[in-house]
Amino acid sequence: AVANGTTNFIAPFILDPNNSNTLLAGGANLWRTTNAKGIIPLGWTNIKTSIGSNISAIAVAKGNSDIVWVGHNNGNIYLSTNGTAVTPTFTQVDINTVGVPNRRVTRLTVDPNNSNRVYATFGGYTPDNVWRTDNAGASWTSITSNLPAAPVRSLVVWQGNTDYLYVGT
């Protein structure tokens, strides 16, 4: 089922950090299998329908598989707080009125100690490619600081001190 839809050239796939049997895959839709350890993962289910822009980033909160974040090529970001439901509900939380870039989301990273704090990185040779929300997407702040105007492809939170970030451009 996943191969029948459109995807980015490099499509996002992630294992749920809380359940290694659950694999999420992004294309035009978000797909889930709970049989990731099978010889051929079976039982793919469409859990988020297309918004007309491919999924480019997926994240699941450590310690809570119900919290699923999805980013799209057009900069839209969605959150589900019931991600393990048969039909999860996804709510758009990027609120472009606060300046979140309208370009490809390259990475979503959930703080391992606070699932309301999420980092979103963006592509493009422009400023403001690293953003953070501390309230599950109700508001966003650019934390790009003195990083170059270049795409940010990776962001990792150090578990020893979650105020320390590793960012890859």
Side-chain angles (χ1 to χ4, degrees):
V2 176
N4 293 336
T6 64
T7 64
N8 288 339
F9 181 73
I10 300 174
F13 284 85
I14 67 161
L15 276 175
D16 182 328
N18 312 298
N19 181 349
S20 60
N21 284 314
T22 300
L23 179 66
L24 298 171
N29 305 315
L30 180 64
W31 296 88
R32 174 179 62 204
T33 181
T34 56
N35 185 32
K37 291 183 181 179
I39 294 173
I40 299 174
L42 300 173
W44 288 98
T45 304
N46 178 359
I47 62 170
K48 181 181 182 300
T49 58
S50 175
I51 63 162
S53 177
N54 282 346
I55 293 169
S56 55
I58 308 166
V60 176
K62 181 179 178 184
N64 188 348
S65 298
D66 277 323
I67 299 176
V68 178
W69 290 80
V70 178
H72 291 265
N73 287 349
N74 67 359
N76 289 359
I77 299 172
Y78 288 80
L79 167 63
S80 176
T81 57
N82 67 339
T84 60
V86 172
T87 308
T89 302
F90 284 88
T91 304
Q92 188 174 355
V93 295
D94 57 280
I95 309 171
N96 284 320
T97 58
V98 298
V100 174
N102 191 20
R103 57 187 178 273
R104 181 183 302 223
V105 179
T106 55
R107 177 81 61 186
L108 292 165
T109 304
V110 182
D111 184 306
N113 297 326
N114 177 359
S115 62
N116 287 318
R117 177 177 277 187
V118 176
Y119 299 88
T121 65
F122 294 86
Y125 289 93
T126 59
D128 292 331
N129 281 332
V130 182
W131 290 74
R132 181 183 74 214
T133 180
D134 291 319
N135 51 18
S139 62
W140 293 86
T141 303
S142 173
I143 61 166
T144 304
S145 189
N146 61 353
L147 290 173
V152 176
R153 304 275 185 222
S154 181
L155 186 145
V156 177
V157 178
W158 182 35
Q159 288 186 321
N161 181 342
T162 57
D163 289 331
Y164 287 51
L165 306 175
Y166 297 93
V167 177
T169 58

